[in-house]
Amino acid sequence: MSRYARQMALPEIGADGQALLASARIVVVGAGGLGCPVLSYLAGAGVGSIKAVDPDVVEASNLHRQPLYSMADIGKPKAEAARRALAGYNPEIQILAEVQRLDPANAASVCNGADIVIDAADSFAVTYTLSDHCRTSRQAFVSASVLGFAGYAGGFCGSRAPSVSAVFPDLPVTAANCATAGVSGPAVGILGSLLAQMALNCLLGLEPSPLGRMVSLDLRRLTTSWFSFADAPEPEHGFRFASVQDITDADLVIDLRGGDETSGLVSTGAHRSTVDGVDALAGQARNHRTILCCRSGLRAWNAGLRLQQAGCSDILLIALG
């Protein structure tokens, strides 16, 4: 037990708390900038079973903020590279790797049996998909997002906390990402470490619980804030993400991707449109289940808002990546 002696010296952990960690199962979706510190600190803490889920491969541009990986890992799947690194770091625990993209079709199987689900993917679609799943399954869910020097981490769902939709009922009209706006490596590391601590606090049953609380950090200005959203109501008219497999012949399918993104459509019979152009399809949408598709889910969300304003109610979103 010398490996865990320093944390077992904390009265909040001790031998009983260490036993709780050893029996815990955590799923971490995303093995990138946020996922690397999450996975490292959970493995270091002795969490018994950790599953890393990520579809991507290591790139040279990742290395400034993803210290689990080395030059030798470039081109290799992140989930597998993380598993190898963590197994060398702590051989006493179980590390699982799944090289796949998280979507509504596999969310239940990916998260099955987990005590806590951690969203380290920094993706609108993944966040809302996991939140919807955890709200139904009553699994604890912690999620973070970071851009530039700033970000947040929060605890959701479980048996007593609202979902992500209760805090963020709407997405922005436009949004940058790490590739277009840049990101600070230490900022990602701090937010990822905060995610890991929130997950450990949940496992140990520490109060106040992270579930229903959010912490925001601005590391350029060195400011921090937090708030509780434990009593936030769930929105009445939110959107749900779906998978390509959910499309049927009876659906009205609208593909919002441009010709520069893809030469084909998501399905036979789909309509190609822009966000502004969906108004012309509102008449059909009022009489059919409507599925809106784009790369990240952001355009689909905003197109869905336009159709809702036009009286359409049965709307699903698909993020195609």
Side-chain angles (χ1 to χ4, degrees):
M1 297 299 289
S2 60
R3 177 185 293 270
Y4 310 114
R6 296 297 184 271
Q7 70 183 29
M8 287 176 62
L10 294 167
E12 293 88 348
I13 299 181
D16 290 342
Q18 194 61 50
L20 283 174
L21 299 182
S23 65
R25 300 173 64 184
I26 291 184
V27 169
V28 180
V29 179
L34 288 168
C36 282
V38 170
L39 291 165
S40 297
Y41 282 111
L42 293 180
V47 172
S49 177
I50 304 169
K51 182 192 294 184
V53 183
D54 196 296
D56 295 332
V57 298
V58 178
E59 300 177 7
S61 63
N62 302 147
L63 300 181
H64 89 285
R65 66 191 187 281
Q66 300 177 20
L68 267 183
Y69 311 123
S70 68
M71 292 292 290
D73 292 317
I74 291 176
K76 298 176 182 178
K78 287 184 180 179
E80 292 287 355
R83 183 192 60 77
R84 288 191 295 272
L86 296 172
Y89 182 42
N90 188 349
E92 299 176 356
I93 63 175
Q94 180 185 49
I95 309 293
L96 306 173
E98 292 192 7
V99 183
Q100 63 173 322
R101 180 171 173 266
L102 190 287
D103 71 10
N106 62 20
S109 61
V110 166
C111 300
N112 182 44
D115 297 295
I116 297 177
V117 176
I118 298 180
D119 166 31
D122 218 359
S123 156
F124 294 128
V126 169
T127 297
Y128 283 86
T129 295
L130 288 174
S131 177
D132 288 345
H133 166 76
C134 290
R135 182 186 177 196
T136 300
S137 66
R138 299 175 70 83
Q139 288 171 290
F141 177 53
V142 292
S143 175
S145 179
V146 61
L147 191 66
F149 294 92
Y152 75 84
F156 308 88
C157 303
S159 60
R160 61 184 184 180
S163 71
V164 170
S165 295
V167 184
F168 301 112
D170 294 305
L171 293 181
V173 175
T174 60
N177 57 43
C178 293
T180 60
V183 67
S184 162
V188 176
I190 291 170
L191 265 298
S193 299
L194 182 55
L195 266 184
Q197 188 63 61
M198 291 176 120
L200 293 175
N201 286 10
C202 283
L203 291 175
L204 295 166
L206 302 186
E207 294 292 344
S209 171
L211 302 182
R213 295 166 71 90
M214 180 173 291
V215 179
S216 297
L217 301 176
D218 184 333
L219 294 162
R220 183 175 178 275
R221 295 173 176 83
L222 298 180
T223 60
T224 182
S225 62
W226 72 271
F227 67 91
S228 171
F229 57 89
D231 297 323
E234 298 292 340
E236 295 181 6
H237 304 292
F239 295 121
R240 184 170 63 85
F241 280 91
S243 301
V244 173
Q245 298 94 306
D246 295 320
I247 296 174
T248 70
D249 293 338
D251 293 325
L252 172 66
V253 182
I254 304 174
D255 195 328
L256 299 162
R257 296 174 298 170
D260 59 330
E261 297 174 87
T262 177
S263 58
L265 295 171
V266 65
S267 66
T268 302
H271 298 261
R272 192 185 295 280
S273 178
T274 63
V275 173
D276 292 339
V278 298
D279 295 345
L281 296 166
Q284 296 181 60
R286 281 190 286 268
N287 298 314
H288 294 82
R289 186 175 76 164
T290 302
I291 299 182
L292 299 161
C293 311
C294 71
R295 289 182 64 188
S296 69
L298 184 59
R299 283 170 289 175
W301 189 290
N302 286 298
L305 291 177
R306 294 183 75 103
L307 290 178
Q308 276 189 342
Q309 292 168 1
C312 308
S313 58
D314 195 359
I315 299 171
L316 294 176
L317 313 181
I318 295 179
L320 296 165

mmCIF file of all heavy atoms in Angstrom, residues 183-219:
data_model
loop_
_atom_site.group_PDB
_atom_site.id
_atom_site.type_symbol
_atom_site.label_atom_id
_atom_site.label_comp_id
_atom_site.label_asym_id
_atom_site.label_seq_id
_atom_site.Cartn_x
_atom_site.Cartn_y
_atom_site.Cartn_z
ATOM 1 N N VAL A 183 -5.467 26.793 -27.729
ATOM 2 C CA VAL A 183 -5.708 26.378 -26.350
ATOM 3 C C VAL A 183 -4.384 26.307 -25.607
ATOM 4 O O VAL A 183 -3.353 25.929 -26.180
ATOM 5 C CB VAL A 183 -6.440 25.017 -26.309
ATOM 6 C CG1 VAL A 183 -5.550 23.892 -26.839
ATOM 7 C CG2 VAL A 183 -6.914 24.691 -24.907
ATOM 8 N N SER A 184 -4.397 26.698 -24.347
ATOM 9 C CA SER A 184 -3.228 26.630 -23.478
ATOM 10 C C SER A 184 -3.093 25.227 -22.897
ATOM 11 O O SER A 184 -4.041 24.703 -22.310
ATOM 12 C CB SER A 184 -3.362 27.660 -22.357
ATOM 13 O OG SER A 184 -2.485 27.362 -21.296
ATOM 14 N N GLY A 185 -1.916 24.628 -23.041
ATOM 15 C CA GLY A 185 -1.698 23.294 -22.483
ATOM 16 C C GLY A 185 -1.919 23.231 -20.982
ATOM 17 O O GLY A 185 -2.641 22.359 -20.485
ATOM 18 N N PRO A 186 -1.319 24.147 -20.179
ATOM 19 C CA PRO A 186 -1.562 24.103 -18.738
ATOM 20 C C PRO A 186 -3.029 24.317 -18.367
ATOM 21 O O PRO A 186 -3.506 23.721 -17.397
ATOM 22 C CB PRO A 186 -0.688 25.241 -18.207
ATOM 23 C CG PRO A 186 0.420 25.354 -19.194
ATOM 24 C CD PRO A 186 -0.218 25.078 -20.515
ATOM 25 N N ALA A 187 -3.756 25.148 -19.134
ATOM 26 C CA ALA A 187 -5.180 25.345 -18.832
ATOM 27 C C ALA A 187 -5.944 24.043 -18.986
ATOM 28 O O ALA A 187 -6.799 23.691 -18.161
ATOM 29 C CB ALA A 187 -5.759 26.426 -19.749
ATOM 30 N N VAL A 188 -5.648 23.307 -20.056
ATOM 31 C CA VAL A 188 -6.294 22.008 -20.258
ATOM 32 C C VAL A 188 -5.916 21.055 -19.126
ATOM 33 O O VAL A 188 -6.752 20.312 -18.607
ATOM 34 C CB VAL A 188 -5.889 21.416 -21.619
ATOM 35 C CG1 VAL A 188 -6.472 20.023 -21.789
ATOM 36 C CG2 VAL A 188 -6.367 22.311 -22.752
ATOM 37 N N GLY A 189 -4.635 21.093 -18.723
ATOM 38 C CA GLY A 189 -4.198 20.211 -17.647
ATOM 39 C C GLY A 189 -4.888 20.505 -16.331
ATOM 40 O O GLY A 189 -5.271 19.585 -15.592
ATOM 41 N N ILE A 190 -5.074 21.794 -16.019
ATOM 42 C CA ILE A 190 -5.742 22.165 -14.766
ATOM 43 C C ILE A 190 -7.199 21.750 -14.780
ATOM 44 O O ILE A 190 -7.715 21.194 -13.797
ATOM 45 C CB ILE A 190 -5.596 23.679 -14.522
ATOM 46 C CG1 ILE A 190 -4.134 24.015 -14.203
ATOM 47 C CG2 ILE A 190 -6.494 24.154 -13.384
ATOM 48 C CD1 ILE A 190 -3.838 25.489 -14.187
ATOM 49 N N LEU A 191 -7.900 21.987 -15.903
ATOM 50 C CA LEU A 191 -9.311 21.591 -15.974
ATOM 51 C C LEU A 191 -9.452 20.074 -15.938
ATOM 52 O O LEU A 191 -10.367 19.539 -15.305
ATOM 53 C CB LEU A 191 -9.953 22.167 -17.232
ATOM 54 C CG LEU A 191 -10.696 23.500 -17.114
ATOM 55 C CD1 LEU A 191 -11.867 23.413 -16.168
ATOM 56 C CD2 LEU A 191 -9.766 24.615 -16.689
ATOM 57 N N GLY A 192 -8.545 19.366 -16.594
ATOM 58 C CA GLY A 192 -8.593 17.904 -16.541
ATOM 59 C C GLY A 192 -8.320 17.381 -15.149
ATOM 60 O O GLY A 192 -8.968 16.422 -14.685
ATOM 61 N N SER A 193 -7.378 18.002 -14.439
ATOM 62 C CA SER A 193 -7.101 17.598 -13.057
ATOM 63 C C SER A 193 -8.311 17.860 -12.164
ATOM 64 O O SER A 193 -8.617 17.065 -11.260
ATOM 65 C CB SER A 193 -5.883 18.361 -12.523
ATOM 66 O OG SER A 193 -4.735 18.085 -13.287
ATOM 67 N N LEU A 194 -9.003 18.968 -12.420
ATOM 68 C CA LEU A 194 -10.214 19.272 -11.657
ATOM 69 C C LEU A 194 -11.295 18.216 -11.909
ATOM 70 O O LEU A 194 -11.993 17.794 -10.974
ATOM 71 C CB LEU A 194 -10.723 20.662 -12.029
ATOM 72 C CG LEU A 194 -11.955 21.186 -11.292
ATOM 73 C CD1 LEU A 194 -11.763 21.154 -9.778
ATOM 74 C CD2 LEU A 194 -12.263 22.612 -11.750
ATOM 75 N N LEU A 195 -11.416 17.778 -13.159
ATOM 76 C CA LEU A 195 -12.357 16.692 -13.462
ATOM 77 C C LEU A 195 -12.027 15.444 -12.652
ATOM 78 O O LEU A 195 -12.923 14.787 -12.100
ATOM 79 C CB LEU A 195 -12.278 16.345 -14.954
ATOM 80 C CG LEU A 195 -13.237 16.981 -15.937
ATOM 81 C CD1 LEU A 195 -13.023 16.388 -17.329
ATOM 82 C CD2 LEU A 195 -14.684 16.792 -15.505
ATOM 83 N N ALA A 196 -10.743 15.090 -12.616
ATOM 84 C CA ALA A 196 -10.337 13.901 -11.862
ATOM 85 C C ALA A 196 -10.670 14.049 -10.386
ATOM 86 O O ALA A 196 -11.166 13.104 -9.745
ATOM 87 C CB ALA A 196 -8.837 13.656 -12.050
ATOM 88 N N GLN A 197 -10.427 15.225 -9.811
ATOM 89 C CA GLN A 197 -10.727 15.427 -8.391
ATOM 90 C C GLN A 197 -12.229 15.345 -8.131
ATOM 91 O O GLN A 197 -12.663 14.790 -7.112
ATOM 92 C CB GLN A 197 -10.181 16.771 -7.926
ATOM 93 C CG GLN A 197 -10.293 16.971 -6.414
ATOM 94 C CD GLN A 197 -9.468 15.962 -5.647
ATOM 95 O OE1 GLN A 197 -8.256 15.901 -5.780
ATOM 96 N NE2 GLN A 197 -10.129 15.134 -4.825
ATOM 97 N N MET A 198 -13.032 15.904 -9.036
ATOM 98 C CA MET A 198 -14.485 15.820 -8.860
ATOM 99 C C MET A 198 -14.945 14.361 -8.882
ATOM 100 O O MET A 198 -15.801 13.958 -8.080
ATOM 101 C CB MET A 198 -15.196 16.612 -9.966
ATOM 102 C CG MET A 198 -15.021 18.113 -9.870
ATOM 103 S SD MET A 198 -15.801 18.940 -11.278
ATOM 104 C CE MET A 198 -16.979 19.969 -10.403
ATOM 105 N N ALA A 199 -14.367 13.583 -9.793
ATOM 106 C CA ALA A 199 -14.735 12.164 -9.859
ATOM 107 C C ALA A 199 -14.342 11.442 -8.574
ATOM 108 O O ALA A 199 -15.120 10.639 -8.029
ATOM 109 C CB ALA A 199 -14.064 11.508 -11.062
ATOM 110 N N LEU A 200 -13.155 11.713 -8.046
ATOM 111 C CA LEU A 200 -12.728 11.082 -6.799
ATOM 112 C C LEU A 200 -13.623 11.504 -5.633
ATOM 113 O O LEU A 200 -13.985 10.677 -4.779
ATOM 114 C CB LEU A 200 -11.271 11.440 -6.505
ATOM 115 C CG LEU A 200 -10.237 10.866 -7.473
ATOM 116 C CD1 LEU A 200 -8.846 11.404 -7.148
ATOM 117 C CD2 LEU A 200 -10.242 9.340 -7.445
ATOM 118 N N ASN A 201 -13.994 12.784 -5.582
ATOM 119 C CA ASN A 201 -14.897 13.242 -4.524
ATOM 120 C C ASN A 201 -16.229 12.512 -4.577
ATOM 121 O O ASN A 201 -16.815 12.172 -3.541
ATOM 122 C CB ASN A 201 -15.127 14.747 -4.651
ATOM 123 C CG ASN A 201 -13.933 15.573 -4.219
ATOM 124 O OD1 ASN A 201 -12.855 15.035 -3.987
ATOM 125 N ND2 ASN A 201 -14.107 16.881 -4.123
ATOM 126 N N CYS A 202 -16.721 12.284 -5.807
ATOM 127 C CA CYS A 202 -17.984 11.530 -5.955
ATOM 128 C C CYS A 202 -17.834 10.109 -5.435
ATOM 129 O O CYS A 202 -18.682 9.611 -4.691
ATOM 130 C CB CYS A 202 -18.398 11.497 -7.426
ATOM 131 S SG CYS A 202 -19.130 13.016 -8.055
ATOM 132 N N LEU A 203 -16.755 9.448 -5.831
ATOM 133 C CA LEU A 203 -16.543 8.068 -5.403
ATOM 134 C C LEU A 203 -16.427 7.959 -3.889
ATOM 135 O O LEU A 203 -16.925 6.999 -3.283
ATOM 136 C CB LEU A 203 -15.277 7.510 -6.053
ATOM 137 C CG LEU A 203 -15.315 7.263 -7.565
ATOM 138 C CD1 LEU A 203 -13.949 6.837 -8.058
ATOM 139 C CD2 LEU A 203 -16.361 6.210 -7.917
ATOM 140 N N LEU A 204 -15.788 8.943 -3.275
ATOM 141 C CA LEU A 204 -15.566 8.910 -1.832
ATOM 142 C C LEU A 204 -16.755 9.438 -1.038
ATOM 143 O O LEU A 204 -16.769 9.371 0.196
ATOM 144 C CB LEU A 204 -14.321 9.734 -1.480
ATOM 145 C CG LEU A 204 -12.996 9.180 -2.023
ATOM 146 C CD1 LEU A 204 -11.893 10.223 -1.913
ATOM 147 C CD2 LEU A 204 -12.604 7.896 -1.298
ATOM 148 N N GLY A 205 -17.753 9.981 -1.736
ATOM 149 C CA GLY A 205 -18.933 10.508 -1.057
ATOM 150 C C GLY A 205 -18.666 11.766 -0.266
ATOM 151 O O GLY A 205 -19.334 12.035 0.740
ATOM 152 N N LEU A 206 -17.701 12.579 -0.696
ATOM 153 C CA LEU A 206 -17.365 13.799 0.030
ATOM 154 C C LEU A 206 -18.449 14.857 -0.179
ATOM 155 O O LEU A 206 -19.042 14.956 -1.240
ATOM 156 C CB LEU A 206 -16.010 14.343 -0.431
ATOM 157 C CG LEU A 206 -14.808 13.398 -0.292
ATOM 158 C CD1 LEU A 206 -13.525 14.126 -0.657
ATOM 159 C CD2 LEU A 206 -14.723 12.836 1.122
ATOM 160 N N GLU A 207 -18.686 15.636 0.859
ATOM 161 C CA GLU A 207 -19.664 16.720 0.804
ATOM 162 C C GLU A 207 -18.960 18.071 0.976
ATOM 163 O O GLU A 207 -18.000 18.162 1.743
ATOM 164 C CB GLU A 207 -20.719 16.535 1.899
ATOM 165 C CG GLU A 207 -21.604 15.305 1.725
ATOM 166 C CD GLU A 207 -22.538 15.417 0.528
ATOM 167 O OE1 GLU A 207 -22.736 16.540 0.013
ATOM 168 O OE2 GLU A 207 -23.072 14.380 0.107
ATOM 169 N N PRO A 208 -19.424 19.102 0.266
ATOM 170 C CA PRO A 208 -20.558 19.068 -0.655
ATOM 171 C C PRO A 208 -20.224 18.258 -1.907
ATOM 172 O O PRO A 208 -19.080 18.282 -2.375
ATOM 173 C CB PRO A 208 -20.784 20.547 -0.994
ATOM 174 C CG PRO A 208 -19.439 21.179 -0.808
ATOM 175 C CD PRO A 208 -18.810 20.449 0.340
ATOM 176 N N SER A 209 -21.218 17.584 -2.430
ATOM 177 C CA SER A 209 -21.008 16.768 -3.612
ATOM 178 C C SER A 209 -20.702 17.650 -4.819
ATOM 179 O O SER A 209 -21.259 18.741 -4.966
ATOM 180 C CB SER A 209 -22.271 15.945 -3.898
ATOM 181 O OG SER A 209 -22.161 15.291 -5.156
ATOM 182 N N PRO A 210 -19.834 17.193 -5.717
ATOM 183 C CA PRO A 210 -19.616 17.929 -6.964
ATOM 184 C C PRO A 210 -20.839 17.943 -7.866
ATOM 185 O O PRO A 210 -20.935 18.780 -8.760
ATOM 186 C CB PRO A 210 -18.456 17.180 -7.631
ATOM 187 C CG PRO A 210 -17.834 16.365 -6.551
ATOM 188 C CD PRO A 210 -18.943 16.030 -5.602
ATOM 189 N N LEU A 211 -21.762 16.999 -7.648
ATOM 190 C CA LEU A 211 -22.943 16.918 -8.497
ATOM 191 C C LEU A 211 -23.862 18.095 -8.195
ATOM 192 O O LEU A 211 -24.241 18.330 -7.051
ATOM 193 C CB LEU A 211 -23.671 15.598 -8.274
ATOM 194 C CG LEU A 211 -22.839 14.331 -8.538
ATOM 195 C CD1 LEU A 211 -23.695 13.090 -8.334
ATOM 196 C CD2 LEU A 211 -22.235 14.348 -9.935
ATOM 197 N N GLY A 212 -24.210 18.848 -9.220
ATOM 198 C CA GLY A 212 -25.016 20.045 -9.046
ATOM 199 C C GLY A 212 -24.188 21.298 -8.813
ATOM 200 O O GLY A 212 -24.731 22.340 -8.460
ATOM 201 N N ARG A 213 -22.866 21.209 -9.048
ATOM 202 C CA ARG A 213 -21.988 22.364 -8.855
ATOM 203 C C ARG A 213 -21.073 22.515 -10.069
ATOM 204 O O ARG A 213 -20.709 21.523 -10.719
ATOM 205 C CB ARG A 213 -21.139 22.210 -7.585
ATOM 206 C CG ARG A 213 -21.969 22.192 -6.310
ATOM 207 C CD ARG A 213 -21.144 21.695 -5.134
ATOM 208 N NE ARG A 213 -20.129 22.649 -4.721
ATOM 209 C CZ ARG A 213 -20.346 23.603 -3.810
ATOM 210 N NH1 ARG A 213 -21.535 23.732 -3.237
ATOM 211 N NH2 ARG A 213 -19.385 24.417 -3.452
ATOM 212 N N MET A 214 -20.693 23.751 -10.356
ATOM 213 C CA MET A 214 -19.816 24.033 -11.479
ATOM 214 C C MET A 214 -18.736 25.020 -11.059
ATOM 215 O O MET A 214 -19.002 25.972 -10.325
ATOM 216 C CB MET A 214 -20.613 24.600 -12.661
ATOM 217 C CG MET A 214 -19.776 24.919 -13.876
ATOM 218 S SD MET A 214 -20.795 25.395 -15.290
ATOM 219 C CE MET A 214 -21.571 23.825 -15.629
ATOM 220 N N VAL A 215 -17.527 24.788 -11.542
ATOM 221 C CA VAL A 215 -16.392 25.670 -11.301
ATOM 222 C C VAL A 215 -15.917 26.214 -12.638
ATOM 223 O O VAL A 215 -15.731 25.449 -13.602
ATOM 224 C CB VAL A 215 -15.237 24.930 -10.605
ATOM 225 C CG1 VAL A 215 -14.053 25.861 -10.388
ATOM 226 C CG2 VAL A 215 -15.704 24.339 -9.272
ATOM 227 N N SER A 216 -15.725 27.536 -12.724
ATOM 228 C CA SER A 216 -15.201 28.179 -13.928
ATOM 229 C C SER A 216 -13.843 28.792 -13.627
ATOM 230 O O SER A 216 -13.645 29.382 -12.559
ATOM 231 C CB SER A 216 -16.152 29.275 -14.424
ATOM 232 O OG SER A 216 -17.403 28.726 -14.799
ATOM 233 N N LEU A 217 -12.910 28.652 -14.561
ATOM 234 C CA LEU A 217 -11.565 29.182 -14.395
ATOM 235 C C LEU A 217 -11.191 30.035 -15.601
ATOM 236 O O LEU A 217 -11.474 29.666 -16.737
ATOM 237 C CB LEU A 217 -10.539 28.053 -14.267
ATOM 238 C CG LEU A 217 -10.699 27.049 -13.125
ATOM 239 C CD1 LEU A 217 -9.640 25.966 -13.246
ATOM 240 C CD2 LEU A 217 -10.608 27.743 -11.787
ATOM 241 N N ASP A 218 -10.569 31.163 -15.346
ATOM 242 C CA ASP A 218 -9.954 31.971 -16.396
ATOM 243 C C ASP A 218 -8.485 32.122 -16.006
ATOM 244 O O ASP A 218 -8.137 32.905 -15.117
ATOM 245 C CB ASP A 218 -10.626 33.346 -16.515
ATOM 246 C CG ASP A 218 -10.068 34.169 -17.661
ATOM 247 O OD1 ASP A 218 -8.895 33.950 -18.029
ATOM 248 O OD2 ASP A 218 -10.792 35.034 -18.195
ATOM 249 N N LEU A 219 -7.638 31.352 -16.651
ATOM 250 C CA LEU A 219 -6.241 31.284 -16.234
ATOM 251 C C LEU A 219 -5.384 32.370 -16.874
ATOM 252 O O LEU A 219 -4.209 32.503 -16.528
ATOM 253 C CB LEU A 219 -5.695 29.900 -16.546
ATOM 254 C CG LEU A 219 -6.400 28.829 -15.692
ATOM 255 C CD1 LEU A 219 -6.212 27.457 -16.282
ATOM 256 C CD2 LEU A 219 -5.891 28.869 -14.259
#
